[in-house]
């Protein structure tokens, strides 16, 4: 009985930790967050290029952007938070 309880508790704890992990699609050597540009600045820059931003979040030290790009494609793109250099794009 104890082993079943331990297995259950372990599964719950592992499951709770997974959403916090990076996806591993891209990583950025971005340093301390105090040196990062804001997500709003990235949104403004991409919007000026015709992108429709759905969501921006942090993943792997990069800004991960879910958007419709200027070609009308649904994309998941990664940008370096200090330079806004494009790191990776995958079409969804």
């Amino acid at each position: 009985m104890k082993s079943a309880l331990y297995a259950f508790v372990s599964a719950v704890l592992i499951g709770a930790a997974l959403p916090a992990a990076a996806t591993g699609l891209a990583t950025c050597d971005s340093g301390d967050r105090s040196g990062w540009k804001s997500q709003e600045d990235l949104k403004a820059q991409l919007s000026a290029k015709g992108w429709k931003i759905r969501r921006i979040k942090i993943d792997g030290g990069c800004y991960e952007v879910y958007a419709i790009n200027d070609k009308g494609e649904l994309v998941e793109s990664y940008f370096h938070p200090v330079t806004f250099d494009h790191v990776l794009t995958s079409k969804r």
Side-chain angles (χ1 to χ4, degrees):
M1 184 67 176
K2 282 187 179 181
S3 62
L5 179 61
Y6 289 130
F8 174 75
V9 171
S10 296
V12 169
L13 293 175
I14 290 169
L18 288 177
T23 61
L25 292 178
T27 56
C28 295
D29 183 19
S30 48
D32 187 63
R33 287 190 183 184
S34 64
W36 291 17
K37 296 179 185 176
S38 74
Q39 291 181 17
E40 286 301 315
D41 288 345
L42 178 59
K43 182 177 181 178
Q45 180 177 315
L46 294 173
S47 294
K49 293 179 180 180
W51 286 42
K52 294 179 182 148
I53 308 303
R54 303 289 188 201
R55 181 176 181 207
I56 299 176
K57 68 177 193 170
I58 298 169
D59 185 29
C62 304
Y63 283 142
E64 180 180 16
V65 178
Y66 295 88
I68 297 173
N69 67 14
D70 57 334
K71 298 174 186 168
E73 302 165 324
L74 186 60
V75 296
E76 176 182 357
S77 295
Y78 291 80
F79 296 88
H80 194 283
V82 176
T83 63
F84 289 161
D85 287 341
H86 177 253
V87 177
L88 175 78
T89 293
S90 65
K91 295 179 186 174
R92 306 216 22 109

